[in-house]
Amino acid sequence: MIILATPTASTSSESPVKSAPSSDWPSNSSETEPLLAAPMVPPPPPYNPEPDRMKMHPPESAGWRFTKAFFAALVIYAVLGLVFGFIMGSHEIIIEGPEAVPRAGDGDIVQCHIPWANYHIPLPWIADSKSISNSTPVANANPPYMSTTSISVPLEQTRLLYFLSKGFLGSGTIRFVTAPPARSNLPAVVVVDITARYWTNQALNKVNMCLLRKEEGAYGVGLYTPILWPVKDKDRMKFNITVTLPASKAHRLTIPALSTDMPNFSHDLHDFTDQVFFESVSLKSSDMPIRVAVGSSLLFSCEGGFNIQATTRNGALKAGIYQAPAGTHITFNGETTNADAQVILPPAFEGTIRASTTNSVASLNDKEYVDDPAKQGRKRDLSRTLVTLKAFVLTAWWGEAKDPKEHGESILTTTNGLATVILGSL
């Protein structure tokens, strides 16, 4: 064993212990250190966190996030618009084939591709061929060319007369009028005169007119244009359609059902003045007005009752049923949007009347003093079940209250326009 010690002064009671001198010892024995000393490890530095790393950033507000997303969407939309516009500049997408043809449910084809009788007539507001060639198509302007044709629809034993328009390129008007039959010994026909106004021959060549038949006794006329996108102004066409019914006071005509489904076409059912009798009328359009029986009188008549339906949107609706025999069961349903709607009901009407609108007023104009259409001295009663500024529901009847099943019904609906019911007008 090796004992290392540092010399200290002895006391009087202890004998000093001395080691033999040796040259291996250091000269300064009082500063002797242990031979097995542990290595010195420096202590870790003090923890001083960096202020930037500890700083908490407040979350972005919802408004700022929305603003960034909105501008990012605008940039994406602009880039896609440029790319797509470049691609579509010389191309068009044909959604339903290059040729406009009848759809399933339109009826069987009796004849299609009916030719134009008077073709490519320059209209008077275009002075010469040079101005025609330099004319620029403008939406809602008068196109420079016109073509016309006529279609004869058989009327013998016809139970349904219908008219259709399909496609993106056509708009216009359809009007119903009467004229005496040409010759009494010939089969009666309905003459449909069609006038097309257009900018280019290429546009006109895309039109297909067809005579259709759904079933025995159901004949119709279909006007077809392609479903293209985008629609260019030079492809747009305007059509004026006049339907002439062979009737007069001396030759009354009965058509059980009349139906249209013609978007972007205004409708005008002319004043027939006791010449044509219908049991059911259904007129359907969009973005155009419908006018039914604007005039002195339009008489719908059949045994038991009749039904009238008129539907459009973004166009005014005016319907008038001026006369009907006592006891007639009348059903009317008129609907439009963003426009005024009006219906005139005859004094003989009995049943429920409903009218409603939004952001406007629903009103009833009741002719209180109306003679009994049955000439029996009865009085008309009205029972109101709902009356608000924007809607009302009431029931009208003559004499004693009847079973609701015997009642007719009138429904008039619109949005952002007046809803007016006139009851009892002659």
Side-chain angles (χ1 to χ4, degrees):
M1 178 180 293
I2 300 175
I3 301 175
L4 301 177
T6 302
T8 58
S10 62
T11 62
S12 58
S13 59
E14 296 180 352
S15 297
V17 180
K18 298 182 179 180
S19 302
S22 172
S23 60
D24 297 332
W25 287 77
S27 59
N28 188 3
S29 60
S30 62
E31 297 178 0
T32 303
E33 295 179 357
L35 295 178
L36 299 179
M40 300 299 292
V41 179
Y47 177 67
N48 294 319
E50 297 181 11
D52 290 342
R53 293 183 180 180
M54 295 299 293
K55 183 178 180 181
M56 299 296 293
H57 296 279
E60 295 180 345
S61 65
W64 176 243
R65 292 198 305 270
F66 172 80
T67 302
K68 292 199 299 183
F70 177 75
F71 281 105
L74 282 180
V75 172
I76 295 173
Y77 179 80
V79 172
L80 291 178
L82 290 174
V83 174
F84 195 70
F86 175 78
I87 295 174
M88 296 298 297
S90 57
H91 297 82
E92 61 185 5
I93 297 176
I94 303 176
I95 300 177
E96 285 199 5
E99 185 179 12
V101 296
R103 279 66 161 169
D106 291 352
D108 299 328
I109 297 175
V110 177
Q111 182 184 0
C112 269
H113 302 289
I114 297 174
W116 296 98
N118 300 294
Y119 179 69
H120 210 54
I121 305 171
L123 293 175
W125 52 78
I126 301 298
D128 50 45
S129 59
K130 182 178 180 181
S131 61
I132 291 176
S133 61
N134 294 333
S135 62
T136 302
V138 178
N140 299 321
N142 290 319
Y145 295 108
M146 177 181 73
S147 293
T148 64
T149 193
S150 295
I151 303 174
S152 295
V153 181
L155 198 55
E156 187 175 1
Q157 297 181 348
T158 296
R159 296 183 294 103
L160 169 64
L161 185 63
Y162 65 97
F163 299 87
L164 305 172
S165 174
K166 303 290 179 68
F168 284 3
L169 307 183
S171 63
T173 64
I174 179 169
R175 190 168 62 103
F176 295 86
V177 299
T178 61
R183 292 176 62 182
S184 59
N185 60 340
L186 295 178
V189 295
V190 174
V191 179
V192 182
D193 295 311
I194 302 174
T195 300
R197 291 183 169 89
Y198 53 95
W199 292 93
T200 65
N201 280 335
Q202 291 79 4
L204 184 67
N205 291 336
K206 296 175 181 178
V207 179
N208 187 11
M209 295 174 293
C210 298
L211 176 62
L212 307 170
R213 180 175 58 191
K214 284 188 176 181
E215 54 195 27
E216 191 65 30
Y219 288 93
V221 173
L223 178 65
Y224 298 94
T225 62
I227 297 181
L228 305 179
W229 193 88
V231 177
K232 301 175 181 178
D233 287 337
K234 67 181 180 62
D235 292 328
R236 298 182 186 274
M237 289 168 282
K238 295 182 178 181
F239 297 92
N240 292 329
I241 301 175
T242 301
V243 180
T244 303
L245 305 173
S248 65
K249 289 186 177 182
H251 300 85
R252 296 183 179 182
L253 175 66
T254 298
I255 298 178
L258 172 67
S259 172
T260 70
D261 185 357
M262 304 191 71
N264 300 311
F265 276 75
S266 65
H267 287 57
D268 188 354
L269 197 58
H270 198 65
D271 174 20
F272 295 144
T273 315
D274 199 18
Q275 300 177 37
V276 183
F277 298 89
F278 297 99
E279 297 177 14
S280 174
V281 174
S282 176
L283 308 178
K284 185 177 181 181
S285 181
S286 66
D287 303 303
M288 284 292 188
I290 291 180
R291 296 178 293 272
V292 181
V294 178
S296 60
S297 68
L298 175 63
L299 180 60
F300 295 83
S301 178
C302 68
E303 293 296 330
F306 54 82
N307 174 70
I308 303 172
Q309 182 171 348
T311 304
T312 185
R313 64 174 184 267
N314 303 321
L317 173 63
K318 292 185 178 181
I321 308 169
Y322 296 91
Q323 300 178 20
T328 302
H329 187 281
I330 300 171
T331 301
F332 171 80
N333 191 344
E335 182 178 355
T336 187
T337 59
N338 303 315
D340 293 344
Q342 175 184 291
V343 61
I344 300 174
L345 299 174
F349 178 85
E350 293 182 286
T352 303
I353 302 174
R354 305 174 187 269
S356 64
T357 184
T358 61
N359 302 319
S360 192
V361 177
S363 62
L364 172 68
N365 185 350
D366 176 25
K367 303 293 184 180
E368 295 183 4
Y369 303 102
V370 178
D371 292 335
D372 179 8
K375 308 299 182 182
Q376 297 177 1
R378 299 175 302 173
K379 293 184 179 180
R380 185 176 62 191
D381 290 322
L382 296 177
S383 174
R384 293 172 170 82
T385 56
L386 172 67
V387 177
T388 68
L389 184 64
K390 299 179 182 179
F392 65 83
V393 179
L394 59 88
T395 302
W397 69 89
W398 286 95
E400 297 181 358
K402 296 179 175 60
D403 187 333
K405 294 181 180 179
E406 300 178 11
H407 287 176
E409 186 175 40
S410 172
I411 302 175
L412 186 67
T413 305
T414 186
T415 61
N416 304 317
L418 295 172
T420 304
V421 177
I422 301 175
L423 176 61
S425 176
L426 290 174

